[in-house]
Amino acid sequence: MSMSENILPQHKTPKLIVVTAFDRDESGDLQPVFGPAEQQTEDRAIRTAKGLAAKHAGVIAWSRDANPSLGEYGEPTTLFVGGDVPDME
């Protein structure tokens, strides 16, 4: 096995993968109560979100291509939504 097989290709854009859970405050407005918590993989984000969905008013998992050093961010892609979540900007 050559060394190059262990190295990720440089052209692969890093992904930002996030889970956030929400509960309603006294006025009924959704407030983040968990996260935004960065996840290592989309699969883990979906599993985490599904686990949180039973305990909170709403949960969302999403990802986007992100290159923070260059300030470049792609369009967010929703991976999982459960319950009520505020509109994403």
Side-chain angles (χ1 to χ4, degrees), residues 3-78:
M3 284 290 291
S4 62
E5 289 174 26
N6 294 332
I7 299 168
L8 288 174
Q10 291 303 306
H11 61 80
K12 183 174 180 347
T13 309
K15 261 197 183 348
L16 178 66
I17 305 167
V18 177
V19 173
T20 309
F22 302 89
D23 283 334
R24 294 195 180 276
D25 62 17
E26 294 80 27
S27 341
D29 295 323
L30 291 165
Q31 301 293 339
V33 292
F34 172 87
E38 224 174 303
Q39 306 293 310
Q40 292 304 309
T41 66
E42 292 183 351
D43 286 344
R44 177 172 287 184
I46 292 165
R47 281 199 307 274
T48 300
K50 285 181 176 176
L52 289 165
K55 304 177 188 85
H56 298 285
V59 63
I60 186 167
W62 56 272
S63 69
R64 70 187 336 170
D65 292 335
N67 196 333
S69 60
L70 299 177
E72 292 177 358
Y73 296 93
E75 287 297 306
T77 301
T78 301

